[in-house]
Amino acid sequence: MMGLIILIIWFSLIIGIPFGCFGSYERTLLSVQKQKALFVFGDSLFDPGNNNYINTTTQFQANWSPYGESFFNPPTGRFCDGRIIPDFIAEYAELPLVPSYFEIGKDHFVHGVNFASGGAGCLVETFRGFVIDLKTQLKYFKKVTKDLKNKFGRKKSRQLLSNAVYIFSAGNNDYFNFDTTYPKHEYANMVIGNLTSVIKGIYKEGGRKFVILTLGPLGCTPGSRALNFQQGNKSGNCIQQLTTLAKIHNSILPKMLKQLQQHLPGFKYSLFDFFKVASERIHNPSKYGFKISKTACCGTGPFRGIYSCGGKRQVKEYKLCKNVKDYLFFDSGHLTEMTYKQVAELLWNGTVDVIQPYNLKSFFHLPA
């Protein structure tokens, strides 16, 4: 027994760890080998508050009331009244809340990191200078992988990275910011080409398990309906051109993922049909426990679709609904916590009609 204690002290001194801290380090090392982790990339559907830390405008932030009111006090910067999809996935996976990249501490990245940025697109040009585009999110991820290798060594960090799940909500803002000089299919191929490049970059660092959300019906948000109304369509119907762009994007995604699977050894993916899940709730809200699906809880103008929630953006006037649980959308373009929870539940244990070939519950336990 004495020999074992001496050996542990000797080992701790060699690797530069105070003996009193060895227990915690040993536990961390073991947790790296067995630990599930979630790395999050994308836009405001997933942003936990990264945009609080960059030089941007309030158009791309949400760190004030009434954002967060259903769960967080003070508001964190999530574009929602409460928790968002990655928060629920972390809970189901028995992980702590995945921290924003700018809030990771010395050890917190062991469970994953959230790099998502409200307004970000796959294209660098999308809201350039105001957001953290997907390519820059990859650059930040590479910094984290470097820190992991320095802390735990190449083999252990590689194990964590290959077992981790990488989830994306990306492309929405590229189409809201659509460059009409391009043919639609050519533009969509450019967007997905950039997404592919980032996925390959993560794969090169050791990532193997990727979850991609399709785009939702972009033309049917309260913001899109309000714009349509202001342009003379007083019925406030969806903007079909935007939804068509989303459909084109979604038709290319599965082909891209299958190609990656064919060419990258060990690459696994799961594709979630966010378009279908969101559309069903927009067109049949009462079936899913909602009363209102066309109008936002927070905002102003037609359908409360003007992006003014909280009064900190260009338009200061806003109205707030009495019961957020009645609403599908919280503001002009973002869903409520209750909606995100339903989406996360389907991501976690949904069937092949919405997520395939794996749901996240099985994906987390799938060996890399």
Side-chain angles (χ1 to χ4, degrees):
M1 185 68 176
M2 182 61 71
L4 178 62
I5 293 169
I6 291 168
L7 183 64
I8 290 172
I9 295 171
W10 174 77
F11 178 71
S12 70
L13 289 171
I14 281 181
I15 59 175
I17 304 161
F19 176 60
C21 299
F22 185 77
S24 63
Y25 180 81
E26 187 180 42
R27 284 192 297 274
T28 306
L29 203 58
L30 286 170
S31 73
V32 166
Q33 290 175 272
K34 298 177 181 179
Q35 181 63 54
K36 292 172 287 192
L38 179 65
F39 290 94
V40 182
F41 299 83
D43 50 35
S44 55
L45 267 70
F46 285 180
D47 184 357
N50 279 313
N51 283 7
N52 301 347
Y53 298 91
I54 64 172
N55 185 18
T56 187
T57 71
T58 54
Q59 291 296 111
F60 301 96
Q61 293 175 322
N63 54 339
W64 56 81
S65 182
Y67 288 103
E69 65 176 9
S70 299
F71 190 81
F72 297 101
N73 185 23
T76 58
R78 287 163 170 80
F79 294 78
C80 179
D81 61 295
R83 289 164 290 180
I84 53 178
I85 293 167
D87 301 327
F88 289 111
I89 298 301
E91 179 188 327
Y92 304 153
E94 298 180 343
L95 294 169
L97 282 181
V98 179
S100 120
Y101 171 70
F102 295 103
E103 293 174 350
I104 53 175
K106 190 166 61 168
D107 295 318
H108 292 165
F109 51 72
V110 169
H111 301 289
V113 180
N114 190 326
F115 302 93
S117 168
C122 298
L123 302 176
V124 175
E125 295 80 8
T126 298
F127 300 122
R128 187 200 291 267
F130 295 98
V131 301
I132 308 162
D133 64 82
L134 212 55
K135 191 176 178 183
T136 305
Q137 291 179 35
L138 172 62
K139 187 175 83 173
Y140 290 161
F141 172 70
K142 287 179 178 178
K143 287 183 180 179
V144 168
T145 62
K146 187 178 178 183
D147 288 343
L148 279 167
K149 286 169 190 169
N150 289 339
K151 189 170 180 63
F152 300 114
R154 189 172 187 83
K155 185 180 176 183
K156 297 287 187 295
S157 62
R158 198 82 175 179
Q159 200 167 0
L160 182 146
L161 292 167
S162 65
N163 283 330
V165 170
Y166 302 82
I167 188 167
F168 284 79
S169 165
N172 296 287
N173 294 298
D174 298 300
Y175 297 104
F176 282 126
N177 205 35
F178 175 52
D179 185 343
T180 54
T181 61
Y182 287 94
K184 291 173 185 174
H185 279 85
E186 185 182 333
Y187 188 81
N189 278 314
M190 273 181 8
V191 171
I192 287 181
N194 277 32
L195 174 59
T196 305
S197 176
V198 170
I199 290 172
K200 284 180 175 177
I202 294 169
Y203 176 89
K204 193 174 178 182
E205 293 293 313
R208 293 295 179 268
K209 300 193 286 188
F210 295 84
V211 181
I212 315 293
L213 273 65
T214 67
L215 302 184
L218 302 179
C220 296
T221 65
S224 295
R225 290 182 193 276
L227 180 60
N228 214 7
F229 184 93
Q230 289 168 334
Q231 290 175 344
N233 184 343
K234 299 305 179 186
S235 65
N237 290 335
C238 302
I239 298 179
Q240 288 308 320
Q241 184 191 14
L242 270 174
T243 301
T244 299
L245 285 167
K247 286 179 178 177
I248 293 168
H249 177 98
N250 293 344
S251 70
I252 301 170
L253 263 181
K255 299 168 193 171
M256 176 270 280
L257 291 167
K258 282 173 185 171
Q259 284 176 353
L260 288 175
Q261 191 173 45
Q262 287 167 2
H263 293 105
L264 302 177
F267 177 89
K268 297 178 179 72
Y269 74 87
S270 200
L271 182 62
F272 180 74
D273 195 346
F274 184 58
F275 188 97
K276 178 182 179 179
V277 170
S279 296
E280 285 175 346
R281 283 155 180 76
I282 288 168
H283 299 304
N284 300 292
S286 59
K287 184 179 175 182
Y288 300 96
F290 302 102
K291 292 181 180 177
I292 300 155
S293 63
K294 293 182 178 179
T295 298
C297 169
C298 188
T300 192
F303 305 99
R304 291 196 197 117
I306 293 172
Y307 189 43
S308 64
C309 186
K312 302 276 187 180
R313 302 189 181 104
Q314 287 175 329
V315 177
K316 305 304 178 190
E317 179 193 344
Y318 75 97
K319 291 179 181 176
L320 183 66
C321 66
K322 288 181 180 177
N323 186 1
V324 68
K325 290 184 178 178
D326 290 342
Y327 286 76
L328 189 74
F329 285 92
F330 183 63
D331 69 10
S332 63
H334 305 104
L335 302 168
T336 60
E337 180 185 75
M338 183 171 161
T339 316
Y340 282 138
K341 185 177 183 184
Q342 290 186 11
V343 173
E345 285 170 352
L346 290 170
L347 270 160
W348 184 251
N349 57 19
T351 51
V352 291
D353 60 319
V354 291
I355 184 164
Q356 58 177 315
Y358 311 97
N359 59 32
L360 263 67
K361 187 177 183 180
S362 58
F363 211 34
F364 266 99
H365 294 103
L366 194 72

